[in-house]
Amino acid sequence: MARRSFVAGNWKMNKTPQEARALALELRAGLEGWRQGDVGVFPPYVSLGVVTEALKGTPIIVGAQNVFWEKSGAFTGEVSAGMLAASGCACAIVGHSERRQYFGETDETVNKRLKAALAQKLKAIVCVGETKDERVGGTTQQVVKRQVAGAFAGLKAEEMAEVTVAYEPVWAIGTGLTATPAQAQEVHAFIRQLLAERFGTGVADSLRIQYGGSVKADNAKELLAQPDIDGALVGGASLVAKDFVAIVKAAK
Ligand code: PGA
């Protein structure tokens, strides 16, 4: 089944609002007229407003790098799904490995964030992936299976229409070590099979699975040509407009 590609730029903790606006305007120019696939950018919270403004009238969606599950209240430092939606956000990343590694994110909190995002009609990119030790120890499938089961616990098949999964092997993130297209394809196919078992083949066949981990302009084409790789979640290379544009245009 033909799935529309989805390439997303995770800007992480980079760019002031002024720099974010400049990058958004460069992307706007570089992707002028591009309609062959979906594109999203995920700036830090403080730049969501300027980036949304800079991309107004384009099909490029703007999303947040995280979302909290409570609606409002005494949760210093957190931002709710309702606030994001009201700020023009269309999507949120949940469960990024840096959140899991440095900020105590668990499969359970990923699930709560995802449910909160969907309840506010946000789309979500749910990240899964094994560490180097897990890969070397031969537990990649076991880890990914646990993360998928945890993230989607209690979700209904129809809710999955707004979800994208990002397979990001932790050992490939920011390291310059990319999974080979064959390694990535193998896990993507496994994830799709898990989704088929849980939600049926209709959901699994239409849901997009992005690859993430040192995706660059020069390796994107080969990765994105794999049958179960439907796009990319790009970190470092999404901070340079021409590199990100090249990755977007490498998508099938
Ligand atoms: P990277 O990051 O492209 O810099 O490896 C990917 C990600 O963390 O989403």
Side-chain angles (χ1 to χ4, degrees):
M1 121 148 234
R3 289 175 292 269
R4 193 173 160 78
S5 71
F6 180 18
V7 175
N10 174 9
W11 295 0
K12 307 193 180 182
M13 196 174 74
N14 293 291
K15 309 276 179 196
T16 63
Q18 213 176 1
E19 291 163 348
R21 181 172 181 275
L23 175 56
L25 291 174
E26 279 187 85
L27 293 177
R28 184 184 179 116
L31 291 168
E32 175 85 65
W34 177 262
R35 296 288 181 276
Q36 286 93 310
D38 293 335
V39 182
V41 293
F42 295 75
Y45 286 134
V46 291
S47 296
L48 287 171
V50 286
V51 170
T52 301
E53 187 62 36
L55 295 175
K56 203 172 255 170
T58 76
I60 303 173
I61 68 164
V62 181
Q65 296 172 18
N66 196 10
V67 53
F68 191 55
W69 54 83
E70 294 289 349
K71 288 195 170 71
S72 64
F75 302 101
T76 302
E78 294 300 320
V79 177
S80 74
M83 292 171 186
L84 292 176
S87 308
C89 253
C91 187
I93 296 174
V94 296
H96 190 278
S97 67
E98 285 150 17
R99 302 295 319 169
R100 295 181 193 254
Q101 255 183 305
Y102 308 134
F103 302 99
E105 194 78 69
T106 64
D107 294 328
E108 194 190 345
T109 57
V110 170
N111 179 248
K112 288 166 92 164
R113 291 181 205 281
L114 174 61
K115 285 176 176 163
L118 296 176
Q120 291 296 327
K121 307 273 179 260
L122 295 175
K123 297 179 187 303
I125 297 178
V126 178
C127 305
V128 299
E130 80 287 359
T131 63
K132 184 162 184 249
D133 285 350
E134 289 161 346
R135 174 156 287 259
V136 172
T139 57
T140 297
Q141 291 203 346
Q142 203 179 311
V143 168
V144 168
K145 186 173 181 176
R146 189 204 74 223
Q147 291 173 333
V148 166
F152 301 132
L155 257 74
K156 297 188 197 72
E158 54 271 26
E159 292 177 288
M160 295 301 284
E162 304 305 327
V163 173
T164 296
V165 173
Y167 168 59
E168 300 202 299
V170 179
W171 49 272
I173 295 177
T175 58
L177 290 174
T178 317
T180 64
Q183 276 175 327
Q185 165 58 27
E186 187 184 9
V187 183
H188 280 236
F190 176 67
I191 292 170
R192 203 176 300 286
Q193 179 200 320
L194 292 174
L195 293 169
E197 287 162 13
R198 170 77 168 72
F199 296 107
T201 50
V203 168
D205 284 348
S206 52
L207 187 143
R208 294 177 293 188
I209 307 176
Q210 297 171 325
Y211 169 78
S214 299
V215 176
K216 307 284 175 216
D218 60 6
N219 61 23
K221 209 178 175 102
E222 219 190 332
L223 285 160
L224 292 165
Q226 299 299 311
D228 286 293
I229 301 184
D230 309 310
L233 182 53
V234 186
S238 72
L239 299 172
V240 179
K242 74 167 179 15
D243 293 350
F244 187 65
V245 166
I247 294 169
V248 167
K249 293 188 174 173
K252 45 190 186 261

